[in-house]
Amino acid sequence: MDPVEPGDWVTGRPQQLILLTGLDPTNRPLHNVLLAAFYNRTPDRPAFKVRLIAGDADLPQKTKKKKTRGILRKEWPNKYLNHVPALVVLFMDLDWDHPSWSEKLLEASSKTESLRNSIQHESRLLVVLLQEKTTSFPSEGEEKANEFCHHCQMSSKQLFVVNTAGDLSSHVGKLELAFHEHAQAFYQAKIKTIRSRSIPNNSPELLVRQMFKLGFLSELRQDTHTALRNYKLAYDHCQNSQNNWEMADYFEWRSVAGLLNYKICELYFLHNTPRDAITLMNKHMSAFFYGEPGNYPSAQLAGIEYSLWKSKQSWQFAELFERAVVNGLTAVAAVNPGTFLDYASTHFATANRMIRELKATSPISASYPNPDPLASAVDFYGQRPWRVGPLDTATALHLERAAIFALQLRLHENHDGLMTLLSAASMQYKKYGCPRLHRKIMIESGDAQAAAGKPEEALKLWTHVLREGTLPENLRLTLLNKALWSSYCNVLLKETMWSVIQLLRVEPSGTLDPLHQEIFMKICDAKTPANPFSTQLAENQVQHISMLWKQKLEESQFFTVNCSKLSTFVQVSACFLQTEPVSVDMQVPLRVTLTLQTSFPITFSGVRVSAYHCESSGRRIGTADDQATFNVFRSNITLQPFTPSHFYFAIDLKDSASILKEGHLVTIGRVSLEIGDRTQKGVFSTFEWDGNALGRERLNLLDLKAYGQQLSVRVVNMVGTITNIGDKNIDCLLAEIASAKLRLKNETNRELSDVRIEFKRSEQASSSASSVLFVDDDNELRGELELAVASSMKPGDEVDRALQFSSQLHGSVDLLLESAFKISGEKEVQKGRVALTITSEDPFIVRSQVLTLNGIPVTKVLNRSTHLLKVDLKSNADIEITRIDWLLADVVQNALSIYSENDLPSPDVLLKGDVVSYCTPIDIFSQEDSEDEKPLGRMVVFWRRCGSSFSVRSTVPLCRTVISTCPVSINVEVGAKIAEMRKPLLITYVLLNNTLEVIEATTSFDLTDTFMFSGDKLRSVRLLPGVPLRIEVTVMALAAGRLSFPRLTIRSPSIADSILLDALRNLPATIFVLPLAKEYQS
Amino acid sequence: MSLPFDLLHMEMVRYGKEKEAVARADYPKEVLEGLDKATSSLVYKALASRNAETNLESIGLRTGFLLAERLCRDLPRISTELEIMKFICKEFWISVFGKQVDNLRTNHQGVYVVQDNRFPCLTSFSDGTQYVKDAAIYLCFPCGVVRGALQALGIQALVTPTTDQLPSVKFHIHIKTKLT
Amino acid sequence: MSKQQKPVGVDAKKMSSELFALTYGSLVAEMLKDYEDPRQVNLQLDKVGFNMGIRLADDFLSKQAGVPKCTDCRQMAETLSKNVIPAYLGVSATVNNWESGDREFSLQIENNPLTEFVEVPQDLTSLHYSQMIAGAIRGGLEAVHIKVTTTAIETPTNTVIKVKFIEVLKDNLPAGED
Amino acid sequence: MINPGNGALCISIVGKENARLWSGLSDDASRVVCEVELFAHVSLDIVDERATKATENYLGQVYSDHLYKCFAYVSSTGVKFVLVTDSKSQGLRDSEMRAIFKKLHHAYCNAISNPFYVVGQPIKSKHLTEAAKQIFAQ
């Protein structure tokens, strides 16, 4: 009935059997050592199994086997493993020069003789002589050996001589190799004889048997490849003969096929070709797992037998597989030992089911038959105990019937067996990271437990799987129904509810099973629900169960279902309605959204929201999980199908202001719906959703609506802050004292005291912010600021405060002012931020240039000569200029400075866009005569905005100019203060040679008719370095008014005309001549 | 991008802005029941927090997600982060913005900078720095699109645009998590 | 980046129409999130369409100089179905259901690209998904001083735009959206 | 149950984080709904293992037992498509399978493009139902 155990022999590799005799370990230490050497086998040495026997008596005798039909004798492999030796080795202590040599010879021959006679199965006989001394002449040994062999009628190949004086282990090694050779020969011979046996009309049984024997002997020959080949042949024979099997023999054939398959797979793994093993196993399954179970001894029994066999097959393979893995094979999720354990358990479960059915359908009243038809031992694999030995049909039939009874009586569902298989499988799946497969096993385990009559266990498993979620829908529902069934039938109130509220969930389009609704409603108002499963139960069971329910519901029941990981009849989400941090004295509003996911309205006795307070890390503060810091509750709510209803609550932090610290989080930890009345008798059920569930409800991966997901808010001690609702962007002129009108509002809901505004350079985001200076209360400019704003402000109060500052940098600057204040009645100072942007521009644009004395702009000025400096200021706003100072460079001497060092007589008022010009004559005097640009210095402008009292001192740079060298500088002196008409006027031209060489030059006058002239018109002069040369001429103006000044020209071979021309340009262009003075003489 | 699309985009921006304006008005009154002044002002803020930017970005997010799914349907498998970024810069960019990006740089620590010197969504503005501020909102939708595409390919990323000279844009992609 | 201009397996033309359809879809979805009431969404879509229409009209007139000035509704319908809609929607439309003396007609848009992927759920039957097109037509016509009312109705097979002629506007300026 | 045609029994689409997106069953599967679904479900274990090393979206046959075979396809966006066929039907060639999955992926894209679909939630779409119907009919 149960699948056949192959026997111990299959475990472990087959080893060659060698019998030793003639050794006496107890009295002869030498022998003992020798024996020990043989006994301790190491893998590197030939695969022997050595056994010591006393003498021929212990040699196995041929046994007469009864002639019965069958494929493989169970005992056959043992025959070669434990009984029939490949070799029998006789040990003798015999030196060549033994004093009584001839007696010894006789003794030896008799021993060998008797052994030879009692040896069956052509086992080989070997003799080993143990000698103490070596002979000096090998030839002598030769001789003696021959003599010995001759006496004992054996070939010299069978004789070995070991010198016990020498190194024993090396001898043993040699011996073993020799033994091995002989043993191989022995098995080879066996194989030959077996192969040579002719098989009458190729009966498959015999063929298979032969192939198996060949295979096994090859294994003994340590020739696993040949073995594999033979086993395969045998297996193929089984498979091919499949169709001609007689039903009575199915079991036997399958047993053999199974055994062969096992051996083959084992060898595949041994040869490290696991793929072949797995393919073969799959082939094996498809070849042998889908046949007809047959109907012997009876249809049901055959079926059960078959499933058990399949299960066994898979399990055995799993064993091999796992062994291979232990030896270093790597398996994968798709194929691993678990896969086959899984199969095994499936078939095993089927068998259990069949047994259950069999027991249910045809219960046996008869007592166990006697004599036991299953008692007798069987010779063959898969042989039926009741078919051992030749029987006449009548007895056979009778026995058979008895056997069927016996079997059925013996049969029982083996739940433990199934559970072991399942747990083994699940461990494997865990190991290879297959969560879903693992879940599958858990479901099956659940079924097994249920079958074993342990509904609680089953439920545990099922509910666990269901919690994992992501099960295919139909599967999920079936599982839920199972859970409902099992919890209902076992009157488990909470579990029933657990299953039913999930089953209640339907699509808006879907249809609700009225049954589930009925159970739910009934339980809610503590009435016994009619048994939904009455069809599947016997009448008395139905009554019994509903009776139990009645009892249960009579006393009041409290239970809580945690719905967090389930998709149930209500969809719950919750969130705080704000993102900002909150202060301990505030109420935090939150919203709970409940959507009924079933098609009938439900009224709950209340919805409760529990919030916890956690450290900033999110770790809960406080001990017990159910100790919520805040609880808000609303009673009697009714939900309509599939319509979200929002409930708004406010958590008042004041309630536990004492424990809330800065930085804590307040987190919505649980929403629970209640049905029933805690105080009344009856059923009071609570359905809970914990934090993650509440957040998780949003399944739209692409939803950005951040605030909707806020499950916790951060607590800060800050109670609102102070904001500036006045000027935020101010334009000003560079360096002026501008003022910003701040209007500070108390946005907090508390009375504030000691409100100040501070500016700290260290706090600033923009580096340029430090370029702003502030006017403090004592009119001092300061880099940092601290301003008292108000001694106290009530909530909503507004205070104006002008902030005077001056920006030293043009462009716009962002300032971060800090507001500091105390909440009245509290020590520590609160801080807030007030942002301010300042954009400043220059008060005026400066343009400056150099002119000749005649007022002609020049790009380059002549060294050692006088010019005019002209500065234009174009104002950018309405300003007054109160004073200017010249700060001229040292190349310039300020010929005369007009209003130096004191204010303008009256300030120059400029409207936006006006231009004012200031001039001053300058003498250029540069030591080095380089042609590069020189700065002319700076100008200081004192100005103020019209109407403002603060005046600002701005320093502006003046232009740069090229100073060209001037070899000859020419100046003129006019003899009289006033030039009068028709009065002689002495004009002296002073020429100064600025170089170090003598300059030859000619001077000339171009005469004009406006002047009468006396002096040298044309004259050549020699200018000595540094010595001024005066050329005097006297002229008399013939007309009055502004006449062009008498012009001197000068030429010199050593100086370019252009330079001299420049020099001459400095002479006045015109001269004013008064008319005749007659009139006022008279 | 085609004219109708540009117009649609403009309209989305318009819609977003208008919505933001009215968002404050239409929050449920019962929220304020039994709340003190300070609190209700916070709620008010919270409910208004759905501003035009979020609105546009989430439109883009969905669009990008779907486009990416469609696009890589017809392309060989894309798995590594780099492959994904390449995909975004080539096939994806071309099919959404009608051109390849002009430059892709990375610090090999999950930060990528995608540069587009002539970004289609900005061509309606005159070049230069003058309108940079006004243009910002026209980058919310594209950001969403890129982010959506990344999300479709299993990358949670922060996408922020910077532009200092229209119509060129730099998208800074800061990869947060590669979900599996 | 690589030289290759067209990446493998990407049909730019198809994509751009998909881009439009998907973006529009996302916009509608967003609007539904903003307003629970589909009718509100219809209004918004119509507005979007109207504004687009005004601009598209300019574009159309600037490009299609050849199109004759519309003198009656039939001509207008003709232009819409044969020129305008193909130009901007990529599919043609057929005109039918003339009513109330040629003052009302319907434009049947076969395989409207906007609705390619759309499966409107039962509870949103009052939503006119393609109302943007209707709005655009209204806006476009208003730009050329023709006042009409339009609604878009989804049938299982196609999209129908019902157009009702109101009047010819006197003032020269196209009326902006209020 | 020897099945003509491709013996396709069940198609299921699973999104990121194993969200169940869509699944369809052929009429042949009606008697074994749960078994087939369960098989499709457990096959995902192997799909996950394969997908990590995959160089192509189509993963071929990933899993089989004595009743069913499972073929799988993973989009670059991490959406898993599995197709369960009954193990005795003469299987399809990979080329045909590839075609089938392309078709499915296409249908899937259209389905999620529906503006009224909320990304990440189970899909209801005529595109997919039709595609599946055709596949089952083959």
Side-chain angles (χ1 to χ4, degrees), chain A residues 738-751:
Chain A
S739 118
K741 288 180 190 52
L742 303 182
R743 170 163 293 182
L744 299 172
K745 181 159 194 251
N746 176 356
E747 295 263 2
T748 71
N749 56 346
R750 303 286 294 275
E751 175 161 359

Side-chain angles (χ1 to χ4, degrees), chain A residues 102-338:
Chain A
S102 45
E103 288 78 356
K104 278 287 174 190
L105 273 188
L106 278 178
E107 183 190 339
S109 61
S110 69
K111 267 196 183 149
T112 48
E113 184 55 27
S114 66
L115 280 171
R116 204 176 284 110
N117 295 340
S118 50
I119 284 178
Q120 314 280 349
H121 317 283
E122 304 81 39
S123 304
R124 304 234 168 159
L125 175 62
L126 304 182
V127 176
V128 179
L129 296 184
L130 305 170
Q131 303 191 330
E132 279 160 2
K133 27 182 142 47
T134 44
T135 47
S136 37
F137 317 104
S139 56
E140 183 190 4
E142 196 73 36
E143 214 167 277
K144 295 273 185 170
N146 293 338
E147 187 182 2
F148 187 92
C149 293
H150 173 69
H151 267 274
C152 307
Q153 300 148 30
M154 49 188 245
S155 80
S156 55
K157 283 203 178 54
Q158 294 171 271
L159 178 63
F160 301 88
V161 178
V162 171
N163 186 302
T164 56
D167 163 19
L168 213 59
S169 62
S170 71
H171 285 300
V172 172
K174 288 200 197 91
L175 278 179
E176 281 190 345
L177 289 178
F179 292 174
H180 184 58
E181 236 163 75
H182 282 279
Q184 295 292 67
F186 166 77
Y187 292 117
Q188 190 52 53
K190 277 289 165 202
I191 289 169
K192 217 183 245 100
T193 47
I194 289 173
R195 189 174 282 125
S196 63
R197 289 204 192 117
S198 73
I199 288 162
N201 56 46
N202 290 0
S203 91
E205 289 87 349
L206 296 187
L207 275 173
V208 170
R209 179 186 297 169
Q210 185 184 39
M211 296 302 166
F212 175 81
K213 286 185 173 176
L214 291 174
F216 188 71
L217 287 169
S218 315
E219 268 196 279
L220 276 167
R221 249 189 106 247
Q222 309 307 316
D223 172 1
T224 49
H225 289 88
T226 325
L228 184 59
R229 200 163 53 252
N230 287 307
Y231 286 138
K232 271 204 196 124
L233 286 170
Y235 182 83
D236 296 344
H237 280 300
C238 295
Q239 197 175 340
N240 301 338
S241 64
Q242 217 169 347
N243 307 337
N244 344 355
W245 292 348
E246 291 174 25
M247 277 196 187
D249 302 337
Y250 278 7
F251 187 58
E252 180 164 10
W253 274 111
R254 288 191 179 121
S255 309
V256 173
L259 174 63
L260 289 165
N261 177 60
Y262 179 90
K263 289 302 285 180
I264 299 170
C265 293
E266 181 185 25
L267 290 180
Y268 273 137
F269 280 119
L270 184 76
H271 295 160
N272 197 5
T273 54
R275 275 208 176 57
D276 299 350
I278 290 159
T279 358
L280 177 69
M281 185 57 194
N282 290 329
K283 277 218 205 77
H284 180 57
M285 289 195 286
S286 43
F288 287 95
F289 280 31
Y290 304 107
E292 281 307 309
N295 57 12
Y296 187 86
S298 78
Q300 297 105 319
L301 289 178
I304 296 165
E305 207 171 53
Y306 192 22
S307 319
L308 286 174
W309 175 77
K310 291 181 198 168
S311 171
K312 185 76 171 189
Q313 293 296 300
S314 317
W315 177 78
Q316 283 175 327
F317 185 75
E319 289 287 292
L320 284 176
F321 200 158
E322 180 57 12
R323 209 183 302 157
V325 168
V326 169
N327 298 335
L329 178 68
T330 49
V332 293
V335 197
N336 62 64

Side-chain angles (χ1 to χ4, degrees), chain A residues 657-768:
Chain A
S658 51
I659 51 170
L660 288 173
K661 298 269 161 297
E662 171 106 36
H664 280 176
L665 296 175
V666 175
T667 305
I668 301 177
R670 192 193 313 120
V671 171
S672 32
L673 289 170
E674 296 171 358
I675 292 183
D677 184 341
R678 206 184 283 275
T679 60
Q680 303 290 314
K681 163 171 170 313
V683 177
F684 179 80
S685 35
T686 314
F687 306 96
E688 286 184 354
W689 286 262
D690 64 26
N692 346 359
L694 300 172
R696 199 164 46 86
E697 273 300 352
R698 176 192 60 166
L699 287 169
N700 181 353
L701 297 176
L702 297 178
D703 198 346
L704 279 183
K705 306 308 175 294
Y707 79 94
Q709 292 313 307
Q710 182 100 355
L711 268 178
S712 41
V713 287
R714 198 157 49 77
V715 177
V716 291
N717 270 337
M718 186 261 304
V719 264
T721 181
I722 289 214
T723 54
N724 169 23
I725 58 176
D727 297 353
K728 293 192 177 59
N729 304 305
I730 305 105
D731 296 335
C732 67
L733 296 175
L734 189 66
E736 81 169 315
I737 304 292
S739 118
K741 288 180 190 52
L742 303 182
R743 170 163 293 182
L744 299 172
K745 181 159 194 251
N746 176 356
E747 295 263 2
T748 71
N749 56 346
R750 303 286 294 275
E751 175 161 359
L752 306 180
S753 65
D754 186 16
V755 183
R756 10 189 359 91
I757 290 285
E758 293 171 1
F759 175 85
K760 298 204 183 60
R761 290 192 163 171
S762 53
E763 297 293 318
Q764 299 308 307
S766 80
S767 54
S768 50

Side-chain angles (χ1 to χ4, degrees), chain A residues 11 52 65 165 357 496 519 538 566 625 640 763 788 937 1079-1080:
Chain A
T11 56
L52 181 66
K65 41 176 117 71
E357 286 162 3
T496 311
I519 299 180
L566 312 176
D625 172 69
Q640 295 305 326
E763 297 293 318
E1079 283 76 0
Y1080 48 73

